[in-house]
Amino acid sequence: MLRPACDPGRVRRPAFLLILTALTLAAVGSGIAATPAGPRIGGCRVFPADNAWNRDVSRDPVDPRSAAYLRSMGGGVRLHPDFGSGRFGNYGIPITVASSKQPARRLHFTDYPDESDRVPYPIPARARVEGGGDRHVLVVQRGRCRLYELYAARRQNGRWVAANGAVWDLASNRLRPNGWTSADAAGLPIAPGLARPDEASAGAIRHALRFTAARTQRAYVAPARHFASSNRDPDLPPMGMRVRLKASFDLRGYRGQSLAILRALKTYGMLLADNGSNWYVSGAADRRWNDQDIEQLKRVPAAAFEVVKTGPLTR
């Protein structure tokens, strides 16, 4: 019950606090979050706020081996967006959102059955497949908020077959078992590390991105769980290594979707997830990308990055 304005027991609040309280209640009542929303796909939040993919690393210390790691990935190389609008083909890694009622089936895994999640997968018959040799299939199921990822996927006799598969509970921070691969070499999920045009166009990407390097060492660092190399050179980057765009890098002159991506790289960085071309940053295959806009990313030199200090290496 409201007290009369003359009630001597009532604590009077400054006007700005009353206005702030009213705005907060209005936001909650309308379903608008009072704090910035984290990444979402298909109506599902993509991991908790304290997950490694969603963590702000802008103030974390630089790794002592940063310079050596960067040299091994090519000092004169520039950032390269490995995604686009698809005007010239399926460029990037597509994400399929499946209905909560999508039937699930067990799959046959050809290459890594012992490191695959042997559960039913709700993969639609028309799920989008990444172009090129990796042929990733990424499916987020609405309602259940599970992420299903396949590597080297194909349709065979009316059913999906893949080299391996991994399932992620998007409400959990649980990692793969130690030493297990996933649909990605590092044993990481793929979809959370993709740049997406809906986020970039809105002006804020609130998670780390995924990138590749040509040569990696036989080691990984959490949250990665798997290495994909026999090379023990300590100057090569380990899987799961995180790089960050330096705070001093001048963003003036960048605009649009590229500016949002570069801001995210300063705040959240990007995780080394697979062997591939040096400094290729991953994104979703989506017609909403502005190809001319994201060409700006190719102006960013590798020297503008630094390696964030993380935990111990597992070899």
Side-chain angles (χ1 to χ4, degrees):
M1 177 180 291
L2 293 176
R3 294 178 179 178
C6 60
D7 187 339
R10 182 178 183 180
V11 177
R12 295 186 180 273
R13 300 179 181 178
F16 77 91
L17 286 179
L18 294 174
I19 294 171
L20 179 60
T21 301
L23 290 174
T24 302
L25 291 173
V28 172
S30 65
I32 301 172
T35 57
R40 288 181 177 270
I41 301 175
C44 299
R45 176 155 189 162
V46 183
F47 295 133
D50 62 348
N51 187 272
W53 288 100
N54 301 330
R55 193 170 69 83
D56 182 336
V57 297
S58 60
R59 297 177 181 272
D60 285 18
V62 175
D63 193 282
R65 301 197 66 85
S66 179
Y69 288 150
L70 294 179
R71 279 195 302 270
S72 75
M73 293 189 291
V77 180
R78 293 180 181 270
L79 194 64
H80 185 96
D82 197 18
F83 56 91
S85 69
R87 291 188 298 122
F88 306 106
N90 192 7
Y91 190 31
I93 305 177
I95 301 173
T96 299
V97 177
S99 162
S100 60
K101 298 180 180 179
Q102 172 65 40
R105 284 184 171 184
R106 291 187 177 272
L107 276 63
H108 173 60
F109 298 114
T110 59
D111 293 16
Y112 307 97
D114 294 339
E115 295 179 22
S116 295
D117 292 314
R118 308 300 291 274
V119 298
Y121 286 66
I123 311 296
R126 296 186 178 182
R128 297 178 66 192
V129 182
E130 179 191 13
D134 286 349
R135 295 187 61 81
H136 288 115
V137 169
L138 316 181
V139 173
V140 173
Q141 187 174 33
R142 290 186 183 275
R144 295 195 66 213
C145 291
R146 297 289 192 275
L147 168 64
Y148 300 83
E149 299 190 336
L150 305 178
Y151 168 63
R154 65 188 187 277
R155 296 282 290 174
Q156 181 175 296
N157 299 323
R159 299 175 69 98
W160 285 102
V161 176
N164 73 320
V167 180
W168 309 87
D169 179 354
L170 295 178
S172 169
N173 284 333
R174 185 176 181 181
L175 302 176
R176 306 285 286 163
N178 198 29
W180 277 34
T181 188
S182 63
D184 226 352
L188 293 167
I190 298 172
L194 299 181
R196 293 187 284 119
D198 54 317
E199 297 177 308
S201 296
I205 296 175
R206 297 188 176 93
H207 57 85
L209 301 181
R210 169 192 185 271
F211 82 112
T212 60
R215 299 170 64 227
T216 57
Q217 68 165 292
R218 190 182 184 274
Y220 59 88
V221 61
R225 310 300 277 171
H226 185 262
F227 51 72
S229 173
S230 59
N231 196 322
R232 297 180 183 273
D233 184 347
D235 288 344
L236 293 177
M239 287 294 180
M241 180 188 76
R242 189 190 297 256
V243 299
R244 170 184 65 205
L245 189 61
K246 293 178 180 178
S248 60
F249 185 74
D250 192 352
L251 296 182
R252 287 178 296 181
Y254 292 93
R255 65 184 187 283
Q257 294 174 334
S258 286
L259 179 58
I261 290 171
L262 295 178
R263 285 172 173 164
L265 293 181
K266 283 194 174 190
T267 304
Y268 304 97
M270 54 184 182
L271 297 173
L272 180 56
D274 201 357
N275 295 315
S277 298
N278 283 328
W279 295 102
Y280 272 46
V281 59
S282 303
D286 197 306
R287 294 183 181 277
R288 293 173 293 176
W289 285 117
N290 182 326
D291 291 330
Q292 185 176 3
D293 183 324
I294 60 177
E295 280 288 306
Q296 298 173 85
L297 297 176
K298 295 180 180 179
R299 292 160 32 196
V300 181
F305 288 87
E306 57 197 359
V307 178
V308 177
K309 186 176 181 180
T310 50
L313 298 184
T314 299
R315 294 183 169 89

